[in-house]
Amino acid sequence: ARWMGIGDFLEQPLQESPMMGFIEIFQPELWFFRPDDSPPSTEQRAWWASVENPANPFRNFVGHEAAVRRLCRIAFQAFSRHNRECSDHSFALIGPTSSGKATLARLFGELVGLPFVEIDAQSCIDLSDVAVAIAQALEHFPITGDEKYSSLELQDLGDGKIVIPPCIVFIDEVDQLPKNVLQGFQRAIQGRFQSNGWKFDGSAICWIISTTEYALPDRFDRLTRIVLKPLSTEDLGK
């Protein structure tokens, strides 16, 4: 059996889902090298993460040098893992409007090489919308011949349990999320959340949120804060 996509059955009551008998874990994640093989060398990972590398997406990014260095260090660590999971470094980008928060998030996703999911905070009315957006992003994520699988999908473990593979989920202007979604978001960034009778394991997700509010609510204590200062005149000129 092949996974049909979460959007096909989130509209149905849980007990009527045609996928409940699906037990096999099918195509769970990308492998950048075999788990039992040695990871890339320190020198190779350092070069991949270096802004001096022409292939680094941050190569031509102007400004916010401290933030870029921090994101590159996170990518350096992710390169040592066979699936490049970086969920232990979920973070909040805090800075003025149009300071490049969304661009930084997208370039980080490109550098790490994981599926990047951007959530429209204003149109997200339920946490299941996040799961649907992830499923859609996985479906359209380009796979090369170097990875283990030809496509990347969610895992249905039965009994309404869904496992989300390593990916990066970005929510811009998180304070614009509806109140009911914000209340459940704390559980989501802790790794697990429920919606419409479905139980999602999102422990492999690297969450990135952005906001202009420097005083974040307590629900975001688990996120590492990266504060962006206003761009200098020199940076604006560049």
Side-chain angles (χ1 to χ4, degrees), residues 92-139:
L93 297 172
I94 307 170
T97 301
S98 300
S99 58
K101 300 185 292 293
T103 302
L104 280 168
R106 283 193 291 269
L107 292 179
F108 173 72
E110 185 178 343
L111 175 61
V112 175
L114 290 179
F116 181 81
V117 186
E118 186 166 356
I119 305 295
D120 183 352
Q122 291 182 319
S123 64
C124 183
I125 61 175
D126 189 270
L127 281 176
S128 62
D129 293 337
V130 176
V132 171
I134 292 172
Q136 292 172 343
L138 295 177
E139 182 180 355

Side-chain angles (χ1 to χ4, degrees), residues 14 17 30-31 41-42 48 68 71 78 91 111 117 128-129 133 139 142 147 157 160 163 166 169 186 190 194 209 234:
L14 178 58
S17 171
L30 289 174
W31 287 7
S41 66
T42 301
W48 290 345
V68 170
L71 294 174
F91 47 92
L111 175 61
V117 186
S128 62
D129 293 337
E139 182 180 355
E147 286 87 10
L157 302 185
V163 179
V169 178
Q186 181 178 13
Q190 290 174 346
Q194 300 184 33
I209 66 171
E234 181 182 0

Side-chain angles (χ1 to χ4, degrees), residues 43 60 83 86 111 121 131 151 192 195 228 235:
E43 293 76 13
N60 295 316
N83 58 6
C86 46
L111 175 61
S151 64
R192 299 180 186 277
S195 181
L228 307 179
D235 289 336

Side-chain angles (χ1 to χ4, degrees), residues 67-82:
V68 170
R69 286 196 299 270
R70 192 164 192 174
L71 294 174
C72 287
R73 286 197 298 270
I74 295 172
F76 169 80
Q77 296 174 6
F79 292 150
S80 67
R81 300 165 182 162
H82 76 278

